[in-house]
Amino acid sequence: MAVERTLSIIKPDAVEQNNIGNILAMIQGAGLEILGMRMLHLSRAQAEGFYEVHKDRPFFGELVEFMTRGPVVVSALQADDAVVRYRTLMGSTNPAEAADATIRKAYGTDIGENACHGSDSVENGRIEVAYFFPEYVLK
Ligand code: CMP
């Protein structure tokens, strides 16, 4: 097992529904250490830049609109196998398909408003942590 870092975003739907504390408790309960954390309201340019990999997808406009609707909480997480550990904790992208005891099962609404984001690979974790927390990129 290797120590990894991954980026978490608690999305606007979960912030609006006062689920920040509940989600952070699940993150810490799963053994993920929160290295750094910030609440911010993403600008359109920040959201478009973060999700640039999806820019040609039909849902891109809707995704950017949603992610800029209100504040989010971004955090840099660290653990052994942090990427898979956090993705397992989040559950399937579509909350209707998410397993019990996952964040999206508990707090997601639909495939667009799914409560949280986590990096999908170690390499993307590096890129995404750097996007918000350059000081926490694993050397
Ligand atoms: P996330 O893990 O943040 O990565 C990209 C996001 O795009 C994803 O979670 C979903 O919230 C969103 N997404 C994926 N597929 C769709 C879809 N078909 N319609 C709307 N949003 C989607």
Side-chain angles (χ1 to χ4, degrees), residues 33-92:
E33 179 188 356
I34 300 170
L35 297 177
M37 181 164 61
R38 206 155 72 238
M39 188 170 189
L40 74 163
H41 195 146
L42 294 175
S43 67
R44 176 162 289 273
Q46 274 176 312
E48 287 176 348
F50 184 79
Y51 280 117
E52 191 175 5
V53 65
H54 295 303
K55 69 176 186 307
D56 296 326
R57 308 288 283 273
F59 56 82
F60 184 67
E62 191 184 324
L63 176 60
V64 169
E65 204 59 45
F66 166 56
M67 291 301 292
T68 57
R69 183 169 87 192
V72 298
V73 175
V74 293
S75 51
L77 307 179
Q78 174 171 284
D80 285 337
D81 292 326
V83 170
V84 167
R85 191 185 292 237
Y86 188 46
R87 288 185 73 77
T88 302
L89 178 66
M90 288 194 301
S92 299

